[in-house]
Amino acid sequence: MRGGSPKRPEPTSDGWSPRTEASVWLGLGLLAVGVVWFTVRAVEIDRSLGPASRQLASAAPPEASPPPPPPAPDAGAERHLALAWTVGAPGEPAGPLASVRRSAEELLARRLPRGLRRGAVIRAVAEPAAAPKEPRVLALDVRAPGQPRARFYRFGGSGTRRLVDEDGREPVPNPWQAPLATLRRTSPFNPKRMHPVLHRVRPHEGTDYGAPTGTPVYAALEGTVSWVGPHGGHGNWVAIKHDNGIETGYAHLSRFAAGLKRGDHVATHQVIGYVGSTGRSTGPHLHFSASRNGVYFDAETLLATRLRELPAEERDAFRAEKGELDRELDDIGDPLPAASRPGVGDEPASPADDPVSQPRAAASGARRQRR
């Protein structure tokens, strides 16, 4: 038949057709070429690496290095201000130390049972970060004439931040405040006192506090002004009516606060006048009196401090802080004699020459956390 099918290729002796055998040999050839190329390329890469690189690549991974040590704390942030002075002595330090001194005297005037008297020797430790606008006094040591030596600490337990004494007792909040920043009592309440001007026995119905003329006088508690003006032997007198029938009086003033008039409502610790020596007076002082329903009583009882102990769970923390602050207080030297005390704006030649104003190093990071 002329248009028959094409003749098939004869198989090889191993059963493969010539076309299949050619494909296999072609694949094997390509594989061999690839192996040779890969080997040559690997040798070239190995030769391009230096000895150090090959050693590093073959070495075991290094152990994790320890973290770098934390940076040393700034010594300036750990230092406290330390100050010693005598109340009433001439001269006053400048800058932050002056604000620390004023703040400390105001704290002690309210904290001491009989106020702060001239001649008291005070040592104070304070945080410099809060000075000069709002110095944060941390510890106080006071030796007042006629009173036992006392120490007070600003402790943060129970969130009060009040001054705590050495036994861990804090004052119960008292709404009444001292009429002067510094209370220097010169004559107590005495129903049978010999009057220094009239020279006869006459009740002293208030408490006298010595102070320079012009010293601000504060309202001991909020109330309504019932009198402003001259008042006989009281001289320039301000009287304030409070709740529960109590009226306080402020006598011998040199002048009144600007614009103060009868019927005004005044706030606690608001300035109402200034110390003077008007009326029957032998020298500048404040005569502070109190009456209830017209009967006078000892005005100092309004300012008396009642104490309460810290909770048991806070006493260990208090003792730890107290120990650190005691060491700082003990390191403060005595105040400089008045003749050598630096005046306002004066600076010692070097910190070592001035034991009054040397900052002391903080003992631990715990005090740096104190707020």
Side-chain angles (χ1 to χ4, degrees), residues 240-259:
I240 301 175
K241 284 189 175 296
H242 312 278
D243 292 337
N244 300 323
I246 295 177
E247 183 180 63
T248 53
Y250 311 80
H252 309 306
L253 303 178
S254 60
R255 58 190 177 95
F256 307 109

Side-chain angles (χ1 to χ4, degrees), residues 265-288:
H265 180 83
V266 292
T268 303
H269 208 61
Q270 177 178 330
V271 176
I272 57 174
Y274 300 87
V275 169
S277 187
T278 57
R280 283 196 293 269
S281 170
T282 58
H285 72 282
L286 172 67
H287 176 86
F288 177 53

Side-chain angles (χ1 to χ4, degrees), residues 207-267:
T207 302
D208 291 345
Y209 297 112
T213 299
T215 301
V217 177
Y218 306 101
L221 187 68
E222 66 174 341
T224 302
V225 177
S226 56
W227 185 278
V228 178
H231 193 266
H234 286 151
N236 291 330
W237 193 49
V238 172
I240 301 175
K241 284 189 175 296
H242 312 278
D243 292 337
N244 300 323
I246 295 177
E247 183 180 63
T248 53
Y250 311 80
H252 309 306
L253 303 178
S254 60
R255 58 190 177 95
F256 307 109
L260 188 70
K261 61 184 182 298
R262 187 180 301 187
D264 284 351
H265 180 83
V266 292

Side-chain angles (χ1 to χ4, degrees), residues 83-157:
L83 177 64
W85 72 95
T86 301
V87 176
E92 181 174 333
L97 295 178
S99 60
V100 170
R101 174 172 174 171
R102 288 192 294 270
S103 178
E105 290 189 356
E106 288 185 4
L107 288 171
L108 289 173
R110 297 193 295 267
R111 188 65 173 82
L112 294 175
R114 289 188 289 173
L116 187 60
R117 296 186 175 187
R118 181 182 296 272
V121 176
I122 300 173
R123 292 176 175 83
V125 174
E127 285 183 351
K133 293 183 178 180
E134 295 180 1
R136 187 182 301 279
V137 178
L138 301 178
L140 291 167
D141 177 286
V142 57
R143 289 178 293 170
Q147 298 185 24
R149 182 171 184 166
R151 283 188 173 182
F152 302 98
Y153 312 85
R154 188 181 291 273
F155 179 63

Side-chain angles (χ1 to χ4, degrees), residues 13-341:
S13 58
D14 54 4
W16 286 358
S17 66
R19 182 176 297 177
T20 302
E21 186 175 3
S23 298
V24 170
W25 281 109
L26 179 60
L28 291 175
L30 292 175
L31 178 62
V33 171
V35 171
V36 171
W37 179 87
F38 180 80
T39 303
V40 172
R41 185 60 181 161
V43 171
E44 291 177 352
I45 293 175
D46 182 70
R47 288 177 179 175
S48 66
L49 295 175
S53 300
R54 289 195 297 272
Q55 183 180 1
L56 180 62
S58 61
E63 296 181 359
S65 58
D74 181 9
E78 298 182 6
R79 301 178 73 84
H80 287 158
L81 294 176
L83 177 64
W85 72 95
T86 301
V87 176
E92 181 174 333
L97 295 178
S99 60
V100 170
R101 174 172 174 171
R102 288 192 294 270
S103 178
E105 290 189 356
E106 288 185 4
L107 288 171
L108 289 173
R110 297 193 295 267
R111 188 65 173 82
L112 294 175
R114 289 188 289 173
L116 187 60
R117 296 186 175 187
R118 181 182 296 272
V121 176
I122 300 173
R123 292 176 175 83
V125 174
E127 285 183 351
K133 293 183 178 180
E134 295 180 1
R136 187 182 301 279
V137 178
L138 301 178
L140 291 167
D141 177 286
V142 57
R143 289 178 293 170
Q147 298 185 24
R149 182 171 184 166
R151 283 188 173 182
F152 302 98
Y153 312 85
R154 188 181 291 273
F155 179 63
S158 68
T160 61
R161 301 303 301 176
R162 293 190 183 90
L163 284 184
V164 179
D165 65 15
E166 294 185 90
D167 296 321
R169 298 176 300 176
E170 62 177 342
V172 176
N174 185 358
W176 294 89
Q177 295 192 17
L180 296 174
T182 300
L183 295 180
R184 182 172 61 87
R185 187 176 63 177
T186 56
S187 182
F189 178 84
N190 184 359
K192 297 182 180 180
R193 184 191 68 157
M194 177 65 70
H195 196 281
V197 176
L198 301 177
H199 301 292
R200 62 174 183 265
V201 175
R202 188 167 181 175
H204 188 228
E205 296 173 330
T207 302
D208 291 345
Y209 297 112
T213 299
T215 301
V217 177
Y218 306 101
L221 187 68
E222 66 174 341
T224 302
V225 177
S226 56
W227 185 278
V228 178
H231 193 266
H234 286 151
N236 291 330
W237 193 49
V238 172
I240 301 175
K241 284 189 175 296
H242 312 278
D243 292 337
N244 300 323
I246 295 177
E247 183 180 63
T248 53
Y250 311 80
H252 309 306
L253 303 178
S254 60
R255 58 190 177 95
F256 307 109
L260 188 70
K261 61 184 182 298
R262 187 180 301 187
D264 284 351
H265 180 83
V266 292
T268 303
H269 208 61
Q270 177 178 330
V271 176
I272 57 174
Y274 300 87
V275 169
S277 187
T278 57
R280 283 196 293 269
S281 170
T282 58
H285 72 282
L286 172 67
H287 176 86
F288 177 53
S289 63
S291 62
R292 181 181 284 107
N293 299 323
V295 178
Y296 282 95
F297 63 93
D298 188 353
E300 285 194 305
T301 60
L302 299 174
L303 309 178
T305 302
R306 298 184 300 276
L307 301 176
R308 65 185 175 196
E309 293 186 356
L310 289 173
E313 63 271 15
E314 297 177 359
R315 293 173 192 167
D316 288 342
F318 164 69
R319 282 191 287 265
E321 290 191 23
K322 175 181 178 297
E324 295 173 0
L325 291 170
D326 279 340
R327 285 188 286 272
E328 293 193 61
L329 288 172
D330 293 338
D331 286 342
I332 303 175
D334 288 329
L336 292 176
S340 60
R341 183 184 302 276

